């Protein structure tokens, strides 16, 4: 009986450990979302379908993206791909 409780406690602890190691980085996901907004606006501007207001909005998007993504500026590509996969 004691051995069964001990195994159960071990499995619970292992599960909690694994779950805590694989958390989604919500700030990075926000960075990705903001990057997608910038890309969409860039595409609109390049297609010459944008208004002057879109250009103003683009400047705001880039500024916001820079602030949100600043912490990820020096992370290597492999780590960024892992973070991106967690967001999806």
């Amino acid at each position: 009986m004691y051995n069964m409780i001990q195994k159960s406690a071990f499995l619970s602890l292992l599960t909690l450990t694994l779950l805590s190691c694989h958390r989604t980085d919500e700030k990075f996901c926000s960075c990705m979302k903001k990057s997608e907004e910038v890309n969409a606006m860039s595409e609109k501007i390049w297609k010459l379908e944008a208004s002057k207001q879109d250009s103003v909005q683009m400047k705001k998007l880039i500024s916001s993206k820079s602030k949100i993504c600043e912490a990820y500026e020096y992370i290597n590509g492999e780590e960024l791909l892992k973070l991106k996969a967690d967001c999806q």
Side-chain angles (χ1 to χ4, degrees):
M1 179 78 169
Y2 176 74
N3 196 18
M4 189 173 194
I5 293 172
Q6 192 175 18
K7 285 181 183 178
S8 178
F10 175 76
L11 287 175
S12 296
L13 183 60
L14 180 63
T15 302
L16 287 173
T17 303
L18 291 175
L19 287 175
S20 68
C21 290
H22 193 68
R23 284 192 190 150
T24 301
D25 185 340
E26 294 300 328
K27 187 172 181 184
F28 181 78
C29 295
S30 295
C31 171
M32 291 298 302
K33 186 174 182 177
K34 191 58 71 175
S35 296
E36 290 168 5
E37 290 176 34
V38 168
N39 291 342
M41 185 62 74
S42 293
E43 186 175 336
K44 186 176 181 181
I45 291 171
W46 278 104
K47 288 182 177 181
L48 302 176
E49 300 171 351
S51 66
K52 183 174 180 164
Q53 182 61 32
D54 289 331
S55 296
V56 172
Q57 181 65 23
M58 179 67 158
K59 289 179 183 179
K60 290 178 183 177
L61 286 171
I62 290 172
S63 176
S64 176
K65 177 189 170 277
S66 294
K67 290 175 187 171
I68 294 170
C69 298
E70 184 177 33
Y72 305 99
E73 196 170 313
Y74 298 106
I75 294 178
N76 72 43
E78 188 176 312
E79 289 179 63
L80 290 173
L81 288 174
K82 289 177 186 177
L83 289 170
K84 183 178 179 181
D86 288 343
C87 292
Q88 297 172 349

